[in-house]
Amino acid sequence: QVQLVESGGGLVQAGGSLRLSCTASGSIFSINAMGWYRQAPGNERELVARIISDGSTKYADSVKGRFTISRDNAKNTVYLQTNSLNPEDTAVYYCNVHVRQSRWRPEYEYWGQGTQVTVSS
């Protein structure tokens, strides 16, 4: 029983910024990877950014230098700071986490319901 709550999406003009957040709650022993994916109409879901528990990160080439992923382990929250947004960034953004609910249970993957980001030109 793990729940993900996303927030921060909305409508913004080109060049603007948004800060997305995703908080995991429920029965959580540990969280390894946390990340953000996005899916535009007609396209496949793609990785935007990922951060592992040791702090290492990975970004899609299209967002390098513009987006920053971070996490607050005490709050079980992952953030995505999106700067210099352009219309190509328009998509539904999904939070993704890998959670162990106890030391005796394996790691499972969980998804948020998605938050819409729309960038106007």
Side-chain angles (χ1 to χ4, degrees), residues 3 15 17 22 28 41 54-55 59-60 69 71 78 82 89-90 102 114:
Q3 298 82 41
S17 301
C22 173
I28 299 174
D54 65 0
Y59 295 92
I69 189 169
R71 61 191 286 173
V78 61
T82 67
D89 296 315
T90 296
S102 77

Side-chain angles (χ1 to χ4, degrees), residues 18 35 39 58 60 83-84 98 100 103 111:
L18 289 172
Q39 186 169 23
K58 180 180 179 180
N83 299 326
S84 301
H98 293 87
R100 290 187 67 187
R103 67 179 66 183
W111 292 91

